[in-house]
Amino acid sequence: MTDTNCHKIRIQDKTVQLPGQRVLFEDPMPLDSGLSFGPIEIAYQTYGTLNADKTNAVLICHALTGDQFVSETHPITEKPGWWSLMVGPGKAIDTEKYFVICSSVIGGCMGSTGPVSVNPETGNPYGLNFPVITIGDMVRAQKRLIDHMGIKKLFCVIGGSMGGMQVLQWAVSYPEMVFAAIPIATAPRHTAQNIAFHEVGRQAIMADPDWCHGAYLEKNKVPRAGLSVARMTAHVTYLSEPALHRKFGRRLQDRSNLTYGFDADFQVESYLRHQGYTFVERFDANSYLYITRAMDYFDLAAEHKGRLANAFKDSPVRFCVVSFTSDWLFPTKANRDIVHALNAVAADVSFVEVESDAGHDAFLLDEPEFHETIDGFVKGCAERWFNGHGKGAIS
Amino acid sequence: MTDTNCHKIRIQDKTVQLPGQRVLFEDPMPLDSGLSFGPIEIAYQTYGTLNADKTNAVLICHALTGDQFVSETHPITEKPGWWSLMVGPGKAIDTEKYFVICSSVIGGCMGSTGPVSVNPETGNPYGLNFPVITIGDMVRAQKRLIDHMGIKKLFCVIGGSMGGMQVLQWAVSYPEMVFAAIPIATAPRHTAQNIAFHEVGRQAIMADPDWCHGAYLEKNKVPRAGLSVARMTAHVTYLSEPALHRKFGRRLQDRSNLTYGFDADFQVESYLRHQGYTFVERFDANSYLYITRAMDYFDLAAEHKGRLANAFKDSPVRFCVVSFTSDWLFPTKANRDIVHALNAVAADVSFVEVESDAGHDAFLLDEPEFHETIDGFVKGCAERWFNGHGKGAIS
């Protein structure tokens, strides 16, 4: 095991110096596919201070295109961290009270081992020789990090979208290590529609000749067009129709009349193109393939004889499940399926459907009711945990 | 004007002999863009017999990727006509009673003038030199055909999706020529979300190097990959989540376990890829750009001082508006906007929201309540029309 504080990553045709920490686990790790894979490096970021008892850790699990830069300026985009509204001093996840950890998922492209990493056996990037991983594998790698930090039990595991899948997986795989779990805008399985949209994105990437059958890094190419189209497709699914209407409607871009051409006449076209172009500068095409695949494979019930409730049997974890009314990608119904399964085994669960017209992305936005929900649940859990009820349960 | 019964079209790298008729209008036609364009050829198909009074004509308007082969084996795909369930002897649109007409839209690729047609001035296909057209232009071209046939008033104009847009445009542009109008699963304007999905498809096509900036025909290329991705994206929007779940769920394709790879593990992936591949064999990429653009531009209210009701003021047309509960592309709300506008000017309108879990594509499928709705409305209109009430109105 090696801890380092300085690392560089390759993203597209640039090399970027990343802040944060990383740790290298030399031992191979068993994967859900049956393979054994290693070494594995985990890049992560922390905020706040771990207390002496190591009982104040909050693990944040990021979404498909998220990363470890939760609450600080992003080293590539220079935008605020993706959950700055939720995580920070005095925020719902209060970094003055909690030690917040977020690691880049394996398979990603922000420092943890993924297809862009160099295969030590060949000296070349893994590319498509990287093994197909699952949400379970991502969580297994995170557990290595948590164990390495000497944390026996996480006060809270929280995340939205694919982050929510990891939260559920944590609660199912390591229930004794999780006091409270907050899966947000997520699902216990990827639906046919979810898989369909991901497949469109993957086909767009693989259709780009610059993808070079996955070996674009060796050939100094970047499948920009394909990755950009994949992002555009996905982005439409992150927003609700009312949100798009409110943001753009049919307003024209920098002009007062239709041009009768194929330029971006409408603001929404220009916005989408921008989303595509900028995404390409911070994300790796093969990582996009691997991470979408991991989400498609996610099906908690399948691992438990087809009955989701079995996954949560005798769970000591306190759950707060949150959905958003206008989220059509991971709609309330999918989140309610989690609640029903938890209820069926008499687990400790509360459920809040937040009224919002922002669509799936609501979990990243300034949604006061949502932030109050998280704040309230975290404070309630903290009372139980730090007054010894939960803390007693560690030993 | 020239009438012909034999014509060939070029579709991708093949030349195909098309059944049906076509007529050439040498005179240029004014377009909504302000340009004047011609000559224009209209390829069309008819079913049934026009009566001596020419009062039994039903015009069917097809959707984005539809064509004139409504009720017969398709000359390229060899599948049944796209509305065989609706149109034929004894069907709701009864070809033993009605003379049914359907023409390929201009801008399309099934024989009517479009980007694949040869520009008589250059001898090369128009490609991107084809003018950007609108739903209004498509309908203007159809009116030439109807005038040419000597039909003074259509008994009924009917169509779903983009076909429904044309129905609305007919009722607004030529109200005195339409006795009954049936816009189905459509909208009075394309929303930001609708435009966004189309833009993703266009970007996928334009990202394909084989698109050659629109000049792929001259270069003997076909932008298969891009057009295929565009079709896949659109196809997901045509189906509801419950329909995808019912059809595919998370069932695996020809295998009993996940392969941990990027082949089509799930049936839904395999289905989508197939949709993409087969579409490419029957559709032209530039036509896809032009027709999606026409839909994006559609906004009936905009042409009437921003108030949709103005478009229908004093309309003599009898309307039946139909939507489907699970259609999220042109949802009930969008169809209800049409009904509200018609009500605001005291137009003759009935509205049916059909319960269906099939999504937008429901209008193409065996949906008994839907077919009964059309059958009932058409029969009711026929009683009024053929008993002289409406017929009197032609003269």
Side-chain angles (χ1 to χ4, degrees), chain A residues 145-363:
Chain A
L145 173 66
I146 301 304
D147 286 345
H148 168 68
M149 289 175 159
I151 296 166
K152 296 237 164 17
K153 187 161 187 162
L154 293 159
F155 164 59
C156 181
V157 185
I158 183 172
S161 196
M162 185 181 85
M165 290 178 172
Q166 294 164 66
V167 172
L168 294 172
Q169 188 73 57
W170 261 99
V172 168
S173 298
Y174 311 109
E176 74 292 349
M177 286 183 70
V178 179
F179 182 73
I182 312 181
I184 301 160
T186 190
R189 75 186 67 76
H190 231 210
T191 64
Q193 191 185 59
N194 295 148
I195 295 170
F197 277 117
H198 274 177
E199 173 65 4
V200 170
R202 285 191 294 262
Q203 290 294 320
I205 291 168
M206 297 198 267
D208 188 332
D210 287 343
W211 179 61
C212 307
H213 298 280
Y216 50 89
L217 291 176
E218 288 95 313
K219 299 190 175 168
N220 284 310
K221 303 257 187 186
V222 179
R224 289 180 195 275
L227 183 58
S228 176
V229 169
R231 173 60 168 183
M232 287 172 67
T233 312
H235 201 80
V236 184
T237 70
Y238 300 155
L239 303 174
S240 68
E241 199 284 311
L244 278 167
H245 180 73
R246 178 166 40 77
K247 274 184 148 163
F248 309 109
R250 294 180 49 85
R251 281 190 296 281
L252 300 177
Q253 176 73 13
D254 304 332
R255 62 201 65 167
S256 54
N257 288 303
L258 298 172
T259 61
Y260 292 93
F262 296 107
D263 281 349
D265 261 357
F266 297 102
Q267 286 181 10
V268 65
E269 295 176 296
S270 171
Y271 169 78
L272 270 185
R273 291 182 190 185
H274 178 76
Q275 290 296 326
Y277 297 152
T278 54
F279 182 62
V280 168
E281 298 312 313
R282 72 173 179 91
F283 216 84
D284 174 67
N286 283 337
S287 277
Y288 198 83
L289 301 182
Y290 278 93
I291 301 179
T292 54
R293 203 54 169 161
M295 290 177 77
D296 289 352
Y297 276 14
F298 189 64
D299 184 359
L300 265 188
E303 298 162 25
H304 294 85
K305 298 182 183 168
R307 186 169 175 260
L308 185 58
N310 291 345
F312 300 113
K313 199 159 176 289
D314 301 324
S315 179
V317 180
R318 283 137 196 84
F319 290 88
C320 178
V321 178
V322 182
S323 73
F324 298 93
T325 50
S326 60
D327 181 351
W328 57 275
L329 193 64
F330 292 101
T332 289
K333 192 197 165 298
N335 291 277
R336 214 186 283 275
D337 286 347
I338 301 165
V339 178
H340 288 171
L342 287 165
N343 281 335
V345 292
D348 186 342
V349 56
S350 65
F351 171 56
V352 179
E353 183 188 28
V354 175
E355 182 80 31
S356 160
D357 80 348
H360 183 60
D361 266 1
F363 80 95

Side-chain angles (χ1 to χ4, degrees), chain A residues 32-33 128 132 134 189-193 195-197 199-200 202-204 206-207 209 225 229 232-233 236 239 241 244-245 249-250 258-263 265-266 268-269 272-273 289-290 293 296-299 328, chain B residues 32-33 128 132 134 189-193 195-197 199-200 202-204 206-207 209 225 229 232-233 236 239 241 244-245 249-250 258-263 265-266 268-269 272-273 289-290 293 296-299 328:
Chain A
D32 282 338
S33 61
L128 290 195
V132 166
T134 65
R189 75 186 67 76
H190 231 210
T191 64
Q193 191 185 59
I195 295 170
F197 277 117
E199 173 65 4
V200 170
R202 285 191 294 262
Q203 290 294 320
M206 297 198 267
V229 169
M232 287 172 67
T233 312
V236 184
L239 303 174
E241 199 284 311
L244 278 167
H245 180 73
R250 294 180 49 85
L258 298 172
T259 61
Y260 292 93
F262 296 107
D263 281 349
D265 261 357
F266 297 102
V268 65
E269 295 176 296
L272 270 185
R273 291 182 190 185
L289 301 182
Y290 278 93
R293 203 54 169 161
D296 289 352
Y297 276 14
F298 189 64
D299 184 359
W328 57 275
Chain B
D32 283 338
S33 60
L128 290 194
V132 166
T134 65
R189 74 188 65 76
H190 231 209
T191 64
Q193 191 185 58
I195 295 170
F197 277 117
E199 173 65 5
V200 170
R202 285 190 295 261
Q203 289 294 320
M206 298 197 268
V229 169
M232 287 171 67
T233 311
V236 183
L239 303 175
E241 200 285 311
L244 278 166
H245 181 73
R250 294 181 48 86
L258 298 173
T259 61
Y260 292 94
F262 295 107
D263 282 347
D265 261 356
F266 298 101
V268 66
E269 296 177 295
L272 271 185
R273 291 182 191 186
L289 301 181
Y290 278 93
R293 203 53 168 160
D296 290 353
Y297 276 15
F298 189 63
D299 184 358
W328 58 275

